[in-house]
Amino acid sequence: LENIFYWLEISEEFNFSYLREAGLEFVDFNFVAMTKLSEFLGISKEKFMLILSRDLACSEMDVYTAVVKWSIFQAKVVANRSEATKPQEVKEGSDGSKLDDTKNSKDIETLELSKNMGSNVEARKNSELQDIEDVK
């Protein structure tokens, strides 16, 4: 299950239409299970819209729940990115050492999760590409 989003990325990157369609059909019938994966939260808006435009084998409430879950996560990622680009106020401790003013550790965890998902997908792509090269 966890690899489906990775395979969709590979199929689009290398224009494997048969693999793409097979992956999307798998998602059609397993949408609810897919939304429970951490990788689901990190899919692009375009991929999410593509999936939502299909005839999914689930209820409208399942789709609504998935949209809300994905949207909240994406909003946190965007907020964390904009927060990370702002100049941070550096405070000095009583001993003269610099203290970092971190507002919310959960926001940082959300941003780290997003970064880790991206690097995991990239690592899988590189591994698969190496396997393809080895076969050649």
Side-chain angles (χ1 to χ4, degrees):
L1 272 165
E2 295 86 14
N3 292 331
I4 190 63
F5 298 114
Y6 165 70
W7 283 109
L8 287 173
E9 290 293 326
I10 291 292
S11 69
E12 288 183 8
E13 186 173 330
F14 294 101
N15 201 22
F16 295 145
S17 58
Y18 179 77
L19 179 60
R20 179 179 179 265
E21 189 56 34
L24 287 171
E25 285 179 15
F26 182 81
V27 172
D28 292 347
F29 292 101
N30 297 284
F31 181 74
V32 174
M34 299 287 105
T35 63
K36 294 178 181 169
L37 301 172
S38 61
E39 291 86 358
F40 164 75
L41 297 174
I43 64 174
S44 69
K45 176 184 171 187
E46 294 76 20
K47 176 107 38 290
F48 191 48
M49 296 303 291
L50 171 67
I51 291 169
L52 292 178
S53 70
R54 297 180 57 87
D55 186 21
L56 302 170
C58 63
S59 71
E60 288 181 11
M61 186 53 107
D62 291 330
V63 173
Y64 173 79
T65 302
V67 169
V68 169
K69 182 178 174 182
W70 183 87
S71 299
I72 289 171
F73 181 82
Q74 293 297 318
K76 286 181 180 180
V77 168
V78 169
N80 285 331
R81 283 185 189 147
S82 65
E83 185 67 31
T85 60
K86 289 181 184 175
Q88 291 193 356
E89 182 179 328
V90 178
K91 298 178 181 177
E92 288 190 14
S94 58
D95 62 350
S97 63
K98 297 190 188 261
L99 301 174
D100 184 11
D101 184 25
T102 304
K103 291 183 180 178
N104 189 340
S105 62
K106 286 191 178 199
D107 290 341
I108 292 172
E109 290 172 15
T110 302
L111 182 59
E112 288 302 315
L113 175 63
S114 174
K115 287 179 186 175
N116 288 340
M117 284 190 301
S119 63
N120 287 343
V121 168
E122 199 60 38
R124 285 189 212 157
K125 279 184 186 177
N126 291 337
S127 174
E128 291 296 324
L129 290 174
Q130 185 59 45
D131 290 345
I132 291 170
E133 289 298 319
D134 290 345
V135 170
K136 290 180 181 178

